[in-house]
Structures are given as structure tokens and as C-alpha cells.
Amino acid sequence: MAESGIMKKKLLIMLSALPDTGSRLIGFLTGSRYSHASIALGNEPENFYSFTLKGFRTEHPRGLLKKGYEPFPCDIFTVDVDERTYRKAENMLSSFRDKKDLYHYSVAGLILALIHIPFVISRCFFCSHFVADVLEKSGAMRLEKKSCLYMPKDIVKLKGLSHIFSGTVQEYAGMLA
């Protein structure tokens, strides 16, 4: 419970390094071990949401156990939010899920963010832009720069995050089982 006596809710942020060429390239270009960011609601820690080259995606860490992917690192952080902020984030994620065919991955946005040029196309995101946008628009966090400039390594620096897990996505999935 928070000091005011109001029960806090949590949003979860997963930063990971997927074992693919694109992720390795992003890690190299940003000088970070993280190349991917996703977000989950605290009451659904098995469903993370993000953007990949295929667009908006629901990512299920437990599904990786069945697919036999090589283990890849992740760190999970939480941010405490009030009920109103939590509902806003929940509504945003629900809207993305319901209208996922309208959203696309922003290759141009990612490339320009790498050189610190803000660029937004309606309904287009890359993973960390999406996570930063949800955090900002839900009211969970105040950002120090435009959401479209956030790389996974920038998200870890946000004030107010609590680090709760470090290991592999597969280890995290095993904890959920």
C-alpha cells in the first residue's frame, strides 16, 4: 500500500535482447545490451505488448518455452501507478489490441531516433517509442524528451522504475508457469 492508504497498481516494462540479426544491430548501434522493449499490466504479467517488424504484438514469455528459442537476456521493471493511471494504460493497450491491423512498425522512426531526430507517423511505432508513449500518455511517467526518441537503453534510466528481475526471458516465463 502507498503511504496515502490507496492501493497502488503496477505496470511492468521488459527490456530484452532478442537473438536475431535486427536486434543485434540495434544493440550495436545504441551501445546497449537491450534492443527490445515491451509493457504489461501488473495483473497480467504473462502478456507483454510491443511493436515488431510485424506491427503491434502481444508477446507471451511462456510461449517461448514451447518454441525452443535460445535463452536471451531480459530485465523487468515496475512502476507504481494509481487506479486512474492504470485504467488509462489498460484502455490504451486494449485499443491497440482491438485495432492492431491499423498499426505498423516505424522503420523510419527508429532510424531517425538513432540519430536523435524526432519523427512520428500516425499509427506507427517502434518498440521503445510505443512503451514510452504508453507511459507518458497514461500519466505513469513524465518523459524528459519526446517518446519517439526513446531507445530501450533510455527507458531503463526513467526515474520511478523499480528493478524486479534480471535473467533470461525463459527464466521469467518459468516463474509464471
Side-chain angles (χ1 to χ4, degrees):
M1 264 205 207
E3 290 178 31
S4 66
I6 298 171
M7 182 66 82
K8 290 286 185 175
K9 297 229 176 209
K10 294 186 182 301
L11 300 178
L12 286 78
I13 295 99
M14 180 187 295
L15 301 177
S16 59
L18 301 169
D20 62 28
T21 305
S23 293
R24 285 186 190 100
L25 179 62
I26 291 168
F28 174 76
L29 293 173
T30 62
S32 174
R33 79 179 273 200
Y34 306 115
S35 57
H36 186 64
S38 53
I39 189 166
L41 298 166
N43 68 342
E44 295 180 4
E46 69 282 350
N47 296 321
F48 282 81
Y49 304 96
S50 191
F51 273 75
T52 69
L53 287 173
K54 296 179 182 180
F56 177 78
R57 289 288 180 253
T58 302
E59 301 170 344
H60 307 283
R62 282 193 283 195
L64 296 171
L65 294 175
K66 297 175 187 156
K67 293 182 180 180
Y69 286 103
E70 79 179 58
F72 57 94
C74 79
D75 282 273
I76 298 178
F77 302 83
T78 63
V79 59
D80 290 331
V81 295
D82 60 29
E83 181 73 31
R84 182 172 178 253
T85 300
Y86 187 87
R87 292 288 165 235
K88 281 175 106 173
E90 185 176 48
N91 290 339
M92 288 176 72
L93 294 173
S94 179
S95 179
F96 275 97
R97 254 191 333 262
D98 293 346
K99 300 172 185 173
K100 67 182 178 186
D101 294 337
L102 298 177
Y103 294 96
H104 306 282
Y105 189 81
S106 181
V107 174
L110 173 63
I111 292 168
L112 291 169
L114 287 168
I115 55 175
H116 312 290
I117 297 173
F119 181 75
V120 176
I121 300 173
S122 180
R123 297 189 306 257
C124 293
F125 295 87
F126 55 92
C127 65
S128 49
H129 170 201
F130 168 71
V131 170
D133 205 60
V134 171
L135 290 171
E136 181 179 46
K137 288 183 177 168
S138 69
M141 304 206 118
R142 293 184 73 149
L143 302 181
E144 294 180 8
K145 57 186 175 181
K146 294 180 182 205
S147 63
C148 64
L149 292 174
Y150 275 80
M151 294 283 119
K153 72 175 186 172
D154 300 320
I155 290 175
V156 75
K157 297 174 190 171
L158 290 171
K159 292 175 178 67
L161 291 182
S162 298
H163 186 252
I164 62 164
F165 177 81
S166 187
T168 66
V169 171
Q170 290 79 354
E171 289 168 339
Y172 176 74
M175 292 172 30
L176 296 173

